[in-house]
Amino acid sequence: MVEERYHPQEIEEKWQRIWEEQKSFRIAEDSSRPKYYVLEMFPYPSGRIHMGHVRNYSIGDVVARYKRMRGYNVLHPMGWDAFGLPAENAAIERGVHPESWTQENILYMKTQLKRMGLSYDWERELATCEPEYYRWNQWIFLQLYKRALAYKKSSSVNWCPSCKTVLANEQVIEGVCWRCETPVMQKELEQWFFRITAYADELLQDLDRLEGWPDKVLTMQRNWIGKSIGAEILFPLVDREGALRVFTTRQDTVYGATFLSLAAEHPLALELCRGTSQEKTVKEFVERIREVNQARRGEEEGEKEGVFTGSYCENPFTGEKIPIYLANFVLMEYGTGAVMAVPAHDQRDFEFAKMYRLPIRVVIQPKDALLKPGEMTEAYVDEGIMIGSGPFSGLPSDEGRVKVALFLEEKGWGKQDIRYRLRDWGISRQRYWGTPIPIIYCDKCGIVPVPENDLPVTLPRNVPFTGKGGSPLLENRPFLEVSCPKCRGVARRETDTMDTFVDSSWYFLRYVSAKFDSAPFDSMKANYWMPVDQYIGGVEHAVLHLLYARFFTKALRDLGLAKVDEPFTNLLTQGMVCKETYRCEQHDWLFPGELAGSEREGWRCPRCNRPVEKGRVEKMSKSRNNVVDPEELIAAYGADTARLFTLFAAPPEKDLEWSAQGVEGAYRFLTRLWRFVIQHREILAAATSDLSQMELSADLRNLRRLTHRTIKKVTEDIETRFHFNTAIAAIMELFNAVSSCAKDGSESDGEIRVIKGALEAMIVLLCPFVPHVASELWECLGQQTALEGVPWPAYSKEAMEEEKLLIVVQVDGRVRGKITVPADASGEFIEEEALADPKVRRFLTGKEIQKVIQVPRRLVNIVLEG
RNA sequence: GCCCGGAUGGUGGAAUUGGUAGACACACGGGACUUAAAAUCCCGAGGAUCCGCAAGGGUCCGUGCCGGUUCGACUCCGGCUCCGGGCACCA
């Protein structure tokens, strides 16, 4: 006797075992079938999976299983983004070694992922913290170094003087260290960089080719790269040698430049004031700006502030002598660190000029107004007609921009120029748990790359984790002390490790040959599998990860390792998983479970009994006490329910609002389906779904029609737009039709066949969403073959053909009646029927019909006069 | 400030090319089964209003707001409001 109740745990365990034993999802290259590479962003092994993972990987698994059933050779791998700070923090706080901590987490999370029934080829699993992986980070670094795409320079970083360590921007919270709350300083440090700017233009251009990416992400990347077309202009210094270089995009306003502004960090800043009365003031200003500047950058757009350097330069266009100022809003990192100030046509210069009473000269006249410097309350920054601009006066500003640029090149006063907001990628991290940068410093030979044969440079295990005093690698002498590869002399190893974004910039290539040991990946296999056809992950990686991965792909292509220009053809950025929150004004976020009171009378804080504000629906996070643990969910309802709910509750790109009742509903659907099949299993297993030569009643023909329409709908929803929620709704609808059809109990041969056909279709269609229960029910229907290998069902046009059509009849655009006509009825016939319908006629009496509009197979609109 | 999204019942969402707004699900209400409850099953439902003893039927309003195009607008166009996200002294 088969257990009648739906026990997801047993079923899921059974099928997961079968898939594992039969290696159902192991994959290899196969030139006879089209390939499909579907990839979800690999997780950081933080300890446990969260709902965001459940959603991400459920979506990916639907795609993978669907494409497999469509006959594609599907690559669907999984791995671990295993380097990173939390492992080191665990070491500092709890004395666990980062490696053991990470490995334990990986092991645990892997069993959690397996519990979800995800169809990965686990033989390709990788973890970026393994020497077999990170040695190739080092190898790639060396190749980039050879081509000057990796280089070292001094740059300023966030520095916590108490922890003696560098902080990432995210670790600086309101100007203080996230861990010890010491104010963060800026410090100049020698750091390694990747020259991503060498690819700025290609990275920008190729965005146009990424048609399968969301516009939002493309826009964010465009803004991030920030290409500006303009000119570099030389302003000769007065009474001394040299000139100041400025970058501007508005060379058409150069006649209105009445002063120059430099960044406080500008190399000439102090020199320009030397010997002038301004020397002391300038020095104080520079000092102050340096302290404040970056530590609080982005906090607010404070007052414009500056100081006169005491020196002048000449505007080459006007021949005028104009003062040089330092200004707090000029950034050394962008352009040349110097700008020509045109107060009339730049808001910042305008504010600055007002404050220091500098002249404002209008050189662009708008079409519909007359600008007077004394009356302006803000800069005029739009296009217009050039005035007071010598030979250029009278030109439209956009045209003038081109002419001025050509003119200054002719005169040798500068050149046309393009600048990017994008900066080179600093990859040095003063940390232990990352890829050691393969560089050796020798007093004699200088910077010496580690010879490729000596790779990998492995992390020493035995180091102290104190959280103080910089990288633990500095304390490990066997690691630190090496002999120079060139001169064999005493040398010192680089102790910085790489940014973990390096690891994730090429992992998708490693999967094609995860165990390959003579190069980062097997180029032949990469040529077969790449690019990734569908990449799926959170929108939080819209810029950094996705930009770095694109950069690496192009760089590796130029190294001759891969052929593709772009790594990811299609990108799906899934929404966040959210849930309602509860907040007490004194005790902050509360768990729903700890609330006192009730929904009806209002919730109260268990500690202070204050009314609790039912907060907004927010992204699940520990700090907001609104997380749901997937493990508990799966233990209570099974993986299929977890998958079904997350796929059904919202389309993937939108945020998903968690609902315990919604989960219940998903579970209820699976239970109903289960019970239906189990209750009829004998009769269904014995029956066939072959309908050839069968005479069917109208009801059965309808059910058959709905079956085929559902196949079509589900196929299109998955294929064209990943709208799994509507696909699932359609399957539910079909099931509702099946169960009400079976209710009357007549059970003719034809009926059993049609119902069996409907169920077979439903189960195959459900396989990508809820693979375990679908597999089990497939078996119950008497099927021998593995469900995941069954071809996706086709829909028959003939079976979908309507016999009767429901036509809506409108009068003046309002629905007034509905008529049913044979599917092959003529337009004339339909019009006649529509006009004859009693409900319609009431609106026609005494009126004259102006015209009748027909939408074939749908509607008739009778338009009356007036 | 600039750029990108979004706004539809009590709730999540559907309506794919301009053609019956509210599929599917949740929550809710009523009923059946039960000693009872849970579970399950059945029925109902956008709002207002009218007609009828009743089953039922009718009318008007309704997709953030205002206006436009159209026989017909959640969908297209113009102008706003609010919410979310990204960037933010980038010269």
Side-chain angles (χ1 to χ4, degrees):
Chain A
M1 183 62 197
V2 178
E3 178 63 61
E4 292 238 332
R5 281 199 53 187
Y6 172 44
H7 286 303
Q9 281 72 16
E10 286 167 27
I11 301 168
E12 290 173 5
E13 213 172 287
K14 166 181 165 184
W15 289 98
Q16 284 160 18
R17 199 180 58 240
I18 290 174
W19 295 330
E20 180 133 14
E21 281 167 7
Q22 312 205 330
K23 301 188 185 297
S24 303
F25 307 113
R26 194 166 63 169
I27 203 73
E29 298 70 38
D30 173 358
S31 57
S32 71
R33 283 192 294 162
K35 69 93 186 180
Y36 194 88
Y37 187 175
V38 54
L39 181 67
E40 300 108 56
M41 291 179 184
F42 64 168
Y44 177 77
S46 56
R48 302 169 78 82
I49 60 167
H50 55 68
M51 278 302 167
H53 294 130
V54 171
R55 190 174 194 202
N56 193 174
Y57 304 149
S58 295
I59 294 166
D61 203 45
V62 172
V63 177
R65 286 177 181 268
Y66 170 75
K67 287 289 176 182
R68 227 174 258 129
M69 292 168 87
R70 291 305 301 244
Y72 287 87
N73 194 33
V74 173
L75 176 57
H76 188 214
M78 182 42 73
W80 309 96
D81 188 11
F83 272 138
L85 206 48
E88 227 163 314
N89 289 338
I92 294 162
E93 283 154 25
R94 294 191 275 127
V96 204
H97 194 276
E99 190 182 333
S100 350
W101 185 83
T102 305
Q103 291 299 353
E104 276 165 31
N105 287 348
I106 288 175
L107 224 55
Y108 192 79
M109 288 173 75
K110 187 173 173 182
T111 62
Q112 288 191 306
L113 293 185
K114 289 206 164 178
R115 254 317 263 117
M116 283 187 61
L118 303 165
S119 63
Y120 297 123
D121 179 357
W122 281 107
E123 291 181 20
R124 294 168 187 268
E125 180 183 4
L126 59 84
T128 56
C129 64
E130 291 162 353
E132 294 75 26
Y133 186 86
Y134 70 70
R135 71 171 291 184
W136 298 111
N137 280 346
Q138 295 170 339
W139 185 88
I140 292 167
F141 177 95
L142 294 175
Q143 311 310 310
L144 296 179
Y145 179 76
K146 269 190 227 163
R147 286 162 197 249
L149 288 168
Y151 66 97
K152 201 176 190 194
K153 74 171 179 193
S154 169
S155 101
S156 92
V157 293
N158 301 312
W159 178 262
C160 171
S162 158
C163 304
K164 293 201 178 64
T165 185
V166 168
L167 299 173
N169 284 336
E170 309 84 70
Q171 294 165 340
V172 182
I173 297 157
E174 289 175 15
V176 302
C177 172
W178 66 321
R179 197 170 322 132
C180 66
E181 297 189 5
T182 311
V184 172
M185 290 172 50
Q186 294 302 304
K187 192 175 167 178
E188 287 284 317
L189 224 60
E190 288 271 301
Q191 310 230 84
W192 285 95
F193 286 82
F194 284 158
R195 205 180 299 279
I196 189 172
T197 53
Y199 285 87
D201 214 41
E202 194 190 341
L203 286 168
L204 182 67
Q205 290 280 304
D206 284 356
L207 289 173
D208 293 336
R209 298 188 357 206
L210 297 176
E211 283 162 21
W213 282 39
D215 287 340
K216 182 169 59 163
V217 176
L218 296 176
T219 308
M220 283 165 73
Q221 293 219 350
R222 272 190 200 105
N223 293 341
W224 191 263
I225 295 168
K227 181 177 183 173
S228 296
I229 300 170
E232 197 179 283
I233 307 177
L234 294 169
F235 283 71
L237 295 168
V238 171
D239 298 331
R240 67 169 78 207
E241 282 294 294
L244 279 168
R245 291 188 305 136
V246 307
F247 175 71
T248 180
T249 55
R250 289 301 300 270
Q251 58 274 17
D252 52 312
T253 64
V254 68
Y255 283 82
T258 51
F259 60 100
L260 240 59
S261 308
L262 308 189
E265 300 88 347
H266 196 282
L268 288 182
L270 294 174
E271 208 178 309
L272 288 172
C273 67
R274 192 168 305 146
T276 73
S277 57
Q278 293 292 313
E279 191 165 349
K280 201 169 157 234
T281 334
V282 169
K283 276 187 175 158
E284 279 168 11
F285 179 78
V286 169
E287 207 89 328
R288 193 156 50 82
I289 295 298
R290 280 211 176 141
E291 266 172 37
V292 184
N293 224 1
Q294 297 194 320
R296 278 203 328 207
R297 178 154 46 165
E299 251 181 59
E300 64 198 84
E301 221 169 273
E303 288 257 286
K304 301 286 174 288
E305 202 189 336
V307 58
F308 177 48
T309 58
S311 290
Y312 293 84
C313 65
E314 185 192 306
N315 182 335
F317 284 79
T318 59
E320 232 174 337
K321 180 176 150 186
I322 59 174
I324 304 168
Y325 275 74
L326 300 190
N328 63 343
F329 61 87
V330 180
L331 306 174
M332 193 56 222
E333 307 91 77
Y334 183 78
T336 58
V339 299
M340 67 176 205
V342 185
H345 306 294
D346 181 286
Q347 186 58 28
R348 295 155 300 183
D349 298 340
F350 181 84
E351 286 168 31
F352 194 86
K354 281 274 179 197
M355 185 155 295
Y356 295 101
R357 299 174 193 279
L358 292 157
I360 296 172
R361 186 178 306 147
V362 172
V363 291
I364 303 289
Q365 197 60 250
K367 291 220 161 61
D368 49 0
L370 190 70
L371 292 180
K372 291 197 179 128
E375 293 165 13
M376 291 171 75
T377 54
E378 57 178 10
Y380 177 77
V381 299
D382 296 329
E383 304 289 341
I385 304 295
M386 292 172 72
I387 58 169
S389 297
F392 302 99
S393 295
L395 285 177
S397 50
D398 50 351
E399 215 175 290
R401 202 135 61 230
V402 180
K403 296 248 163 80
V404 171
L406 291 171
F407 183 77
L408 61 86
E409 276 194 350
E410 243 170 65
K411 289 278 184 184
W413 296 345
K415 55 172 195 196
Q416 302 190 57
D417 202 7
I418 292 171
R419 297 279 169 164
Y420 297 90
R421 208 190 73 115
L422 181 70
R423 311 277 156 81
D424 277 338
W425 172 15
I427 61 151
S428 296
R429 298 289 180 271
Q430 292 69 35
R431 305 242 148 69
Y432 168 77
W433 195 230
T435 306
I437 294 174
I439 287 290
I440 289 166
Y441 299 103
C442 169
D443 287 339
K444 260 193 229 151
C445 314
I447 295 176
V448 182
V450 172
E452 282 176 30
N453 295 339
D454 292 353
L455 297 183
V457 177
T458 49
L459 283 171
R461 212 188 133 84
N462 186 20
V463 296
F465 295 101
T466 59
K468 309 248 177 212
S471 171
L473 290 175
L474 289 163
E475 310 297 320
N476 186 291
R477 291 180 58 190
F479 177 81
L480 200 62
E481 295 169 0
V482 284
S483 60
C484 171
K486 270 193 191 160
C487 69
R488 298 287 140 201
V490 177
R492 185 175 53 83
R493 216 180 261 293
E494 168 72 66
T495 53
D496 284 356
T497 52
M498 295 184 201
D499 180 4
T500 56
F501 274 119
V502 174
D503 312 339
S504 55
S505 290
W506 66 280
Y507 76 109
F508 44 90
L509 283 157
R510 182 69 184 168
Y511 282 135
V512 308
S513 54
K515 311 255 185 323
F516 202 57
D517 61 4
S518 50
F521 52 89
D522 182 337
S523 293
M524 298 283 283
K525 294 187 173 179
N527 291 342
Y528 175 81
W529 288 113
M530 287 296 288
V532 173
D533 295 278
Q534 184 65 56
Y535 196 32
I536 306 165
V539 73
E540 64 273 19
H541 294 113
V543 179
L544 295 182
H545 162 58
L546 289 168
L547 194 66
Y548 295 150
R550 295 181 60 223
F551 160 56
F552 256 58
T553 301
K554 291 172 190 301
L556 291 169
R557 174 202 63 195
D558 293 345
L559 293 174
L561 288 173
K563 283 191 175 150
V564 289
D565 298 315
E566 286 289 337
F568 314 121
T569 308
N570 295 291
L571 174 69
L572 176 70
T573 50
Q574 105 243 6
M576 299 180 298
V577 180
C578 301
K579 189 169 178 289
E580 83 278 1
T581 52
Y582 298 91
R583 188 170 202 170
C584 163
E585 56 181 77
Q586 187 161 9
H587 297 100
D588 218 27
W589 306 101
L590 302 171
F591 291 102
E594 65 179 340
L595 297 172
S598 69
E599 181 79 56
R600 195 161 297 175
E601 290 157 28
W603 298 107
R604 308 201 142 262
C605 174
R607 270 166 284 178
C608 62
N609 207 36
R610 256 180 252 258
V612 168
E613 176 193 347
K614 183 163 178 176
R616 298 188 315 160
V617 174
E618 303 227 39
K619 177 177 178 173
M620 279 190 184
S621 76
K622 279 197 182 133
S623 62
R624 282 189 275 260
N625 286 352
N626 66 340
V627 293
V628 174
D629 184 352
E631 193 165 293
E632 289 170 25
L633 175 72
I634 292 172
Y637 294 97
D640 283 332
T641 296
R643 296 170 60 129
L644 188 66
F645 169 72
T646 54
L647 295 165
F648 178 65
E653 70 279 4
K654 284 182 82 169
D655 285 352
L656 183 153
E657 188 182 329
W658 183 262
S659 148
Q661 289 98 322
V663 174
E664 197 74 45
Y667 181 73
R668 203 143 52 206
F669 170 71
L670 294 179
T671 307
R672 286 209 299 145
L673 177 67
W674 171 265
R675 210 169 32 229
F676 186 93
V677 175
I678 296 302
Q679 273 170 6
H680 303 91
R681 70 176 307 187
E682 249 114 272
I683 203 164
L684 285 166
T688 162
S689 54
D690 179 22
L691 292 174
S692 49
Q693 326 249 300
M694 291 291 293
E695 281 290 324
L696 299 175
S697 67
D699 280 355
L700 292 179
R701 289 202 303 273
N702 283 337
L703 185 54
R704 175 162 178 256
R705 186 175 306 116
L706 185 63
T707 303
H708 284 260
R709 293 170 68 105
T710 304
I711 295 170
K712 179 168 193 273
K713 166 103 181 123
V714 172
T715 307
E716 286 173 358
D717 281 349
I718 298 178
E719 187 76 47
T720 63
R721 39 176 218 168
F722 294 147
H723 276 204
F724 309 131
N725 55 331
T726 51
I728 293 165
I731 297 171
M732 288 175 167
E733 230 169 316
L734 177 58
F735 178 67
N736 291 345
V738 167
S739 50
S740 54
C741 178
K743 215 162 19 196
D744 49 28
S746 61
E747 294 190 353
S748 68
D749 181 40
E751 179 171 338
I752 293 167
R753 290 188 187 202
V754 173
I755 287 178
K756 177 154 182 178
L759 285 171
E760 280 175 349
M762 278 175 54
I763 288 166
V764 179
L765 296 178
L766 277 171
C767 175
F769 306 105
V770 287
H772 312 90
V773 67
S775 295
E776 183 68 21
L777 293 177
W778 187 244
E779 199 175 75
C780 287
L781 287 183
Q783 301 288 351
Q784 308 293 318
T785 47
L787 180 56
E788 62 276 3
V790 167
W792 193 252
Y795 48 89
S796 136
K797 254 196 158 157
E798 168 268 320
M800 285 197 305
E801 241 159 57
E802 299 284 352
E803 299 162 31
K804 288 178 187 164
L805 297 173
L806 180 72
I807 305 281
V808 171
V809 185
Q810 297 182 334
V811 177
D812 281 335
R814 290 165 187 269
V815 178
R816 297 301 187 186
K818 289 166 192 178
I819 55 173
T820 307
V821 300
D824 55 0
S826 67
E828 291 80 21
F829 178 81
I830 291 170
E831 187 173 327
E832 255 169 57
E833 288 289 299
L835 292 168
D837 187 76
K839 283 180 183 164
V840 175
R841 277 173 72 171
R842 296 187 303 129
F843 293 90
L844 303 179
T845 45
K847 306 269 176 59
E848 200 168 317
I849 294 170
Q850 200 194 6
K851 59 176 164 178
V852 177
I853 290 161
Q854 275 208 36
V855 179
R857 303 170 71 84
R858 305 210 103 181
L859 131 163
V860 176
N861 189 10
I862 301 161
V863 184
L864 304 177
E865 58 172 342

